Amino acid sequence: ERRHLFLLAHERPPAEPGKTFCIVPALAARLVEDLAPHAAYIINLRWDVLAFNDPADSLFGFKGHEPGQRNMLRLLFTDPALRDAIVDWEEQAPAMVAIFRRDFAAAREDADAGSLVAELEAVSRAFKGWWRSQDVHAPCTGTRVIRVGGKPMEFEHTSLTVDGGQHLRLVVYAQKR
């Protein structure tokens, strides 16, 4: 109602704090499955992996982690297998931290987002340095080389907003042609 009144008055709506929702709409979960053979997963502002398909699991090893530990940023800095799989990790990781910073800004009042940053600063010197550099990047789109079965494969990736109100994003990786 408040938002509607602001819009009626031709004013800017008040900023709404981001929340790290964990409920994926059924249709969005089905879409993730239907995107196979492309790797696809859904994340929230905290980058918790809320839904994924088998090709995404093959690339990122989600099933090897408890559901509460499936967080792309956490995996990037604490999972040695994922770190080894991402070719040019030393270039990719700081860029991903800078992209996460944009989402963190929207969810900075969310205690779970703050605790994730504190946890990663405690376990990774690299994360701590890149986090404190204050870099911010635009949404994550481009190419990434990931080792699959020991062989480097190039993937195009992009993220799409699935549910703006819940701050859910669909991330898709398609093998580059």
Side-chain angles (χ1 to χ4, degrees):
E1 292 170 347
R2 184 171 163 221
R3 174 182 278 277
H4 183 69
L5 287 174
F6 271 86
L7 292 174
L8 286 175
H10 299 290
E11 298 290 330
R12 293 185 60 130
E16 295 179 15
K19 294 182 180 148
T20 56
F21 287 95
C22 295
I23 299 170
V24 176
L27 182 58
R30 193 174 88 202
L31 175 62
V32 167
E33 289 298 326
D34 290 348
L35 283 169
H38 304 298
Y41 57 90
I42 292 178
I43 59 174
N44 59 15
L45 283 175
R46 189 176 179 260
W47 288 22
D48 295 318
V49 178
L50 306 175
F52 58 91
N53 62 15
D54 288 338
D57 182 49
S58 294
L59 283 181
F60 302 107
F62 296 136
K63 289 180 183 174
H65 302 276
E66 292 296 319
Q69 297 297 307
R70 292 178 189 151
N71 176 282
M72 281 306 294
L73 204 59
R74 179 184 290 119
L75 296 177
L76 184 67
F77 286 94
T78 64
D79 183 347
L82 182 57
R83 182 178 179 143
D84 290 343
I86 297 176
V87 176
D88 298 329
W89 185 91
E90 293 288 337
E91 293 174 20
Q92 294 291 324
M96 291 175 79
V97 170
I99 294 163
F100 174 74
R101 179 178 297 289
R102 179 204 61 219
D103 290 341
F104 180 82
R108 68 183 168 275
E109 294 178 21
D110 188 292
D112 288 340
S115 67
L116 174 66
V117 169
E119 171 194 340
L120 293 175
E121 283 187 316
V123 300
S124 172
R125 185 178 308 157
F127 176 83
K128 186 175 186 175
W130 292 326
W131 182 253
R132 293 185 178 192
S133 73
Q134 302 291 322
D135 289 341
V136 179
H137 287 199
C140 188
T141 299
T143 59
R144 185 161 288 134
V145 180
I146 301 174
R147 287 183 191 87
V148 179
K151 177 184 169 191
M153 298 176 75
E154 191 169 10
F155 292 88
E156 294 176 301
H157 62 93
T158 192
S159 65
L160 309 163
T161 301
V162 185
D163 188 326
Q166 290 194 26
H167 305 284
L168 298 178
R169 242 184 359 261
L170 169 68
V171 181
V172 179
Y173 278 73
Q175 192 171 353
K176 193 166 181 180
R177 297 181 185 184

